[in-house]
Amino acid sequence: MADMTTASNFIYNTIEEDKRAGKYPDGIHTRFPPEPNGYLHIGHAKSICLNFGTAEKYAGLCNLRFDDTNPVKEDVEYVDSIQEDIKWLGFSWGDRRYYASDYFEKLYEYACTLIEKGLAYVDDLTADEIRAYRGTLTEPGKESPCRGRSSEESLALFRRMRAGEFPDGSHVLRAKIDMASPNITMRDPVIYRIAHTEHHRTGTAWCIYPMYDFAHPLSDAIENITHSLCTLEFEDHRPFYDWLLEALGFDSNTRPRQIEFARLNVTNTITSKRKLRQLVEEGHVRGWDDPRMPTISGLRRRGYTPAAIRDFCERIGVAKANSTVDVAMLEHCVREDLNEHAGRVMAVLHPLKIVLTNYPEGQTEELLAENHPTRGGHRYVPFSRELYIEREDFMEDPPKKFFRLRPGGEVRLKHAYIIKCEEVVKDAAGEVVELRCTYDAESKSGGAAAGRKVKGTLHWVSAGEALDAEVRLYDYLLKTEEESEPAGDFIASLNPRSLEVIENAKIEPSVARTAQGTHYQFLRTGYFVVDKDTEKGRLVFNRVVGLKDSWGKAKG
């Protein structure tokens, strides 16, 4: 796996330039600042790896800070899930878990300072009016009639806003910058609004809340963050970030520096929090941890590994321009990791019964099978007169080069014997329900007389000892490969075959006491993981990825 602490990128180059210039003498300090208004997804994994990895590279620190400035959309459930996801990915914030709400009093004081300096004012315009006054990309904005308010009047109004004297939407606090700026973000942005909503941490102590663009840079500064790594959509917000810290007198040699990098877009994948929430709330998926979801909790339940996700984030690198990564590359990283670590077992998803007519009735023998081709280890699998093979491994009238079982044909059973199909049994509808075969007792795999060669090798399970299992096969949520975020009604782009449930699969008994989250390669089928729905007597497996690797082959 690539080493995320050594690979170079433009962010590391910038940090090294700052260090050579004598900035940040106390060391490098980053932060991961999620808003607790949803579950983290694969795009956030890139930011987590970058922020924690940057701190690790420079022997610095990385904080976890919840930017909880919008109580309408936030919930403790999201706070808990975010912490679980970061730990699962293998990172630690130590004792440095913070919340923007920790600083509400300090942020309020900073806002008062801006007002006193004549750099902020209370505005009475409605949200629609502010939007209309803001102008366009080609036309300058228009100043609010309230822009000329004295500092004294604005400060008094702001204090009354805090005291709860005004209803939602009646007043806002705006920074006073430049309504003619070519950057719309600098046209007197709103920095506080009224919201009579209970906060998940502060309760009803506050009824005014800072806007993200105001709270974020100041929280960075309070925590002595040196480099604030943001996705590219915040590039237009950087001038306000810098203006605010300059206006409040933070030292340019030690105050945080915002650097933007390209967000992660992946084919066939939705990464909009709003759209992911819609999928959950409208019942298109079974929750935030549905294995079809690109949330970290969904990927974890699907069976993706932390090492594979970190490897993927390292391979895609850090760029300045947005682009879309083929989801096959993520699957390739998962497949590489599981190929190295997952034990091998035999499972039959669509069983077809075989009866070995010349095998002794009532006899069962234990055959030796390897657990992994390179890591070693062995187990015993039962073999008996009645077996199951995959239904697709038999054809009555096969095409040329079909090296599986056919009438009169021979195949080897993995770890076992060569068998020959002697008779095909069908039901009244003409469907094949059983194959009657003979086995070559001298062809036992690994035995002294095992040298006879046949072209096909099949996996199988013993009918009497096999365990019943539910197997869930997942496909992409989005049908399209060209877009990660389809325009318009994205529900119409959902794949109606994104989940197939097989209820009567059969699996060898060696997995009977397996733990939730254990990975296996089902021979000739794919990589699977034990799902949390597994109960005593009822195994449930999720397919993680198949065995085929289109990205790996394409890239050599």
Side-chain angles (χ1 to χ4, degrees), residues 64-89:
L64 169 61
R65 181 179 70 244
F66 292 98
D67 276 326
D68 54 345
T69 59
N70 186 1
V72 175
K73 295 183 178 180
E74 296 162 358
D75 195 282
V76 175
E77 174 189 355
Y78 303 136
V79 172
D80 293 341
S81 72
I82 288 168
Q83 294 180 87
E84 182 182 0
D85 290 345
I86 296 171
K87 290 177 181 177
W88 179 75
L89 282 172

Side-chain angles (χ1 to χ4, degrees), residues 49-125:
C49 291
L50 179 58
N51 276 286
F52 282 92
T54 299
E56 179 182 339
K57 176 179 175 65
Y58 292 100
L61 301 173
C62 183
N63 295 356
L64 169 61
R65 181 179 70 244
F66 292 98
D67 276 326
D68 54 345
T69 59
N70 186 1
V72 175
K73 295 183 178 180
E74 296 162 358
D75 195 282
V76 175
E77 174 189 355
Y78 303 136
V79 172
D80 293 341
S81 72
I82 288 168
Q83 294 180 87
E84 182 182 0
D85 290 345
I86 296 171
K87 290 177 181 177
W88 179 75
L89 282 172
F91 299 105
S92 173
W93 55 88
D95 60 355
R96 297 175 308 281
R97 182 187 65 190
Y98 304 109
Y99 298 81
S101 54
D102 293 337
Y103 314 130
F104 276 176
E105 189 65 43
K106 188 67 175 175
L107 297 175
Y108 173 80
E109 292 172 4
Y110 282 133
C112 290
T113 298
L114 287 179
I115 296 171
E116 290 167 351
K117 286 186 168 188
L119 297 177
Y121 62 97
V122 172
D123 197 355
D124 305 341
L125 294 180

Side-chain angles (χ1 to χ4, degrees), residues 346 370 412-417 445 457-460 523:
M346 293 189 290
E370 64 182 10
R412 175 174 290 282
L413 298 181
K414 182 73 172 175
H415 308 305
Y417 301 93
S445 180
T457 299
L458 307 183
H459 63 279
W460 54 276
L523 293 184

Side-chain angles (χ1 to χ4, degrees), residues 224-260:
N224 298 312
I225 301 303
T226 60
H227 295 84
S228 183
L229 310 181
C230 303
T231 45
L232 205 58
E233 62 262 35
F234 290 98
E235 184 175 28
D236 289 342
H237 300 246
R238 181 170 13 109
F240 178 68
Y241 188 104
D242 294 336
W243 177 90
L244 183 60
L245 297 181
E246 178 73 24
L248 290 168
F250 287 94
D251 187 340
S252 60
N253 286 315
T254 57
R255 74 188 186 210
R257 175 177 183 177
Q258 178 175 305
I259 306 174
E260 304 85 22

Side-chain angles (χ1 to χ4, degrees), residues 40 54-55 78 80 88 124 134-135 181 184 186 222 246 256 292 319 350 353 389 413 431 482 521 526:
L40 300 183
T54 299
Y78 303 136
D80 293 341
W88 179 75
D124 305 341
R134 188 174 290 129
S181 172
I184 293 179
M186 298 297 282
I222 291 168
E246 178 73 24
R292 292 167 291 179
H350 301 95
K353 190 173 184 179
I389 64 168
L413 298 181
E431 182 179 352
E482 287 73 24
Q521 184 196 101

Side-chain angles (χ1 to χ4, degrees), residues 317-330:
V318 180
K320 294 184 179 181
N322 284 328
S323 60
T324 299
V325 179
D326 192 335
V327 68
M329 183 179 177
L330 173 59

Side-chain angles (χ1 to χ4, degrees), residues 10-241:
F10 75 93
I11 291 177
Y12 292 170
N13 294 339
T14 300
I15 291 173
E16 287 160 10
E17 289 173 6
D18 287 341
K19 288 169 66 68
R20 286 193 293 269
K23 292 186 174 183
Y24 313 115
D26 293 334
I28 302 305
H29 202 152
T30 62
R31 83 291 168 268
F32 176 63
E35 298 173 74
N37 59 6
Y39 280 61
L40 300 183
H41 55 64
I42 184 63
H44 295 110
K46 176 181 177 180
S47 182
I48 292 169
C49 291
L50 179 58
N51 276 286
F52 282 92
T54 299
E56 179 182 339
K57 176 179 175 65
Y58 292 100
L61 301 173
C62 183
N63 295 356
L64 169 61
R65 181 179 70 244
F66 292 98
D67 276 326
D68 54 345
T69 59
N70 186 1
V72 175
K73 295 183 178 180
E74 296 162 358
D75 195 282
V76 175
E77 174 189 355
Y78 303 136
V79 172
D80 293 341
S81 72
I82 288 168
Q83 294 180 87
E84 182 182 0
D85 290 345
I86 296 171
K87 290 177 181 177
W88 179 75
L89 282 172
F91 299 105
S92 173
W93 55 88
D95 60 355
R96 297 175 308 281
R97 182 187 65 190
Y98 304 109
Y99 298 81
S101 54
D102 293 337
Y103 314 130
F104 276 176
E105 189 65 43
K106 188 67 175 175
L107 297 175
Y108 173 80
E109 292 172 4
Y110 282 133
C112 290
T113 298
L114 287 179
I115 296 171
E116 290 167 351
K117 286 186 168 188
L119 297 177
Y121 62 97
V122 172
D123 197 355
D124 305 341
L125 294 180
T126 66
D128 288 340
E129 289 170 336
I130 290 173
R131 197 174 299 112
Y133 274 52
R134 188 174 290 129
T136 66
L137 292 173
T138 56
E139 296 180 356
K142 184 170 63 172
E143 293 185 359
S144 167
C146 302
R147 200 174 195 267
R149 265 186 175 140
S150 68
S151 296
E152 292 77 14
E153 182 182 3
S154 281
L155 191 58
L157 285 169
F158 190 51
R159 287 170 176 161
R160 292 175 64 192
M161 288 167 60
R162 175 178 180 173
E165 295 184 23
F166 303 116
D168 293 2
S170 59
H171 298 78
V172 294
L173 182 67
R174 298 176 68 178
K176 186 186 290 187
I177 308 178
D178 182 5
M179 291 302 294
S181 172
N183 184 342
I184 293 179
T185 301
M186 298 297 282
R187 296 179 187 175
D188 292 10
V190 174
I191 56 177
Y192 262 90
R193 79 286 199 196
I194 300 171
H196 290 273
T197 302
E198 185 171 349
H199 190 279
H200 70 97
R201 293 189 72 241
T202 62
T204 57
W206 292 88
C207 62
I208 58 170
Y209 293 95
M211 302 298 289
Y212 179 88
D213 277 359
F214 180 79
H216 186 83
L218 292 175
S219 299
D220 284 349
I222 291 168
E223 294 176 14
N224 298 312
I225 301 303
T226 60
H227 295 84
S228 183
L229 310 181
C230 303
T231 45
L232 205 58
E233 62 262 35
F234 290 98
E235 184 175 28
D236 289 342
H237 300 246
R238 181 170 13 109
F240 178 68
Y241 188 104

Side-chain angles (χ1 to χ4, degrees), residues 196-453:
H196 290 273
T197 302
E198 185 171 349
H199 190 279
H200 70 97
R201 293 189 72 241
T202 62
T204 57
W206 292 88
C207 62
I208 58 170
Y209 293 95
M211 302 298 289
Y212 179 88
D213 277 359
F214 180 79
H216 186 83
L218 292 175
S219 299
D220 284 349
I222 291 168
E223 294 176 14
N224 298 312
I225 301 303
T226 60
H227 295 84
S228 183
L229 310 181
C230 303
T231 45
L232 205 58
E233 62 262 35
F234 290 98
E235 184 175 28
D236 289 342
H237 300 246
R238 181 170 13 109
F240 178 68
Y241 188 104
D242 294 336
W243 177 90
L244 183 60
L245 297 181
E246 178 73 24
L248 290 168
F250 287 94
D251 187 340
S252 60
N253 286 315
T254 57
R255 74 188 186 210
R257 175 177 183 177
Q258 178 175 305
I259 306 174
E260 304 85 22
F261 62 93
R263 62 172 288 169
L264 174 58
N265 297 306
V266 183
T267 59
N268 299 93
T269 304
I270 300 165
T271 54
S272 160
K273 276 188 179 180
R274 178 185 61 81
K275 292 176 181 177
L276 293 176
R277 185 180 295 109
Q278 183 179 346
L279 288 173
V280 173
E281 292 177 350
E282 294 182 359
H284 300 288
V285 294
R286 297 177 176 179
W288 287 99
D289 70 341
D290 188 301
R292 292 167 291 179
M293 291 280 275
T295 55
I296 295 175
S297 58
L299 297 176
R300 177 166 63 248
R301 186 172 179 184
R302 173 76 172 262
Y304 284 28
T305 63
I309 293 175
R310 293 196 304 268
D311 184 24
F312 171 68
C313 291
E314 174 61 26
R315 291 189 190 210
I316 61 178
V318 180
K320 294 184 179 181
N322 284 328
S323 60
T324 299
V325 179
D326 192 335
V327 68
M329 183 179 177
L330 173 59
E331 294 168 349
H332 169 75
C333 294
V334 174
R335 194 176 287 107
E336 275 199 342
D337 187 51
L338 293 182
N339 182 56
E340 177 67 22
H341 298 101
R344 273 53 168 171
V345 297
M346 293 189 290
V348 175
L349 304 192
H350 301 95
L352 175 59
K353 190 173 184 179
I354 283 182
V355 177
L356 301 178
T357 57
N358 64 334
Y359 192 88
E361 291 190 36
Q363 176 175 307
T364 300
E365 60 182 303
E366 298 288 331
L367 302 181
L368 192 66
E370 64 182 10
N371 289 336
H372 194 280
T374 60
R375 299 174 71 87
H378 292 85
R379 70 192 187 282
Y380 287 94
V381 293
F383 184 89
S384 63
R385 178 183 173 91
E386 295 186 356
L387 310 170
Y388 290 119
I389 64 168
E390 289 286 355
R391 183 166 291 276
E392 66 176 18
D393 282 340
F394 171 79
M395 289 185 71
E396 275 195 281
D397 185 20
K400 290 182 179 181
K401 297 185 177 181
F402 181 81
F403 298 128
R404 289 168 278 178
L405 198 57
R406 67 180 74 196
E410 289 186 317
V411 295
R412 175 174 290 282
L413 298 181
K414 182 73 172 175
H415 308 305
Y417 301 93
I418 292 174
I419 65 170
K420 181 178 181 180
C421 181
E422 307 284 1
E423 182 182 352
V424 179
V425 180
K426 300 181 181 180
D427 63 13
E431 182 179 352
V432 177
V433 294
E434 183 181 298
L435 303 177
R436 293 181 180 170
C437 304
T438 54
Y439 87 111
D440 180 352
E442 302 300 319
S443 65
K444 185 175 180 180
S445 180
R452 191 157 71 83
K453 301 295 184 183

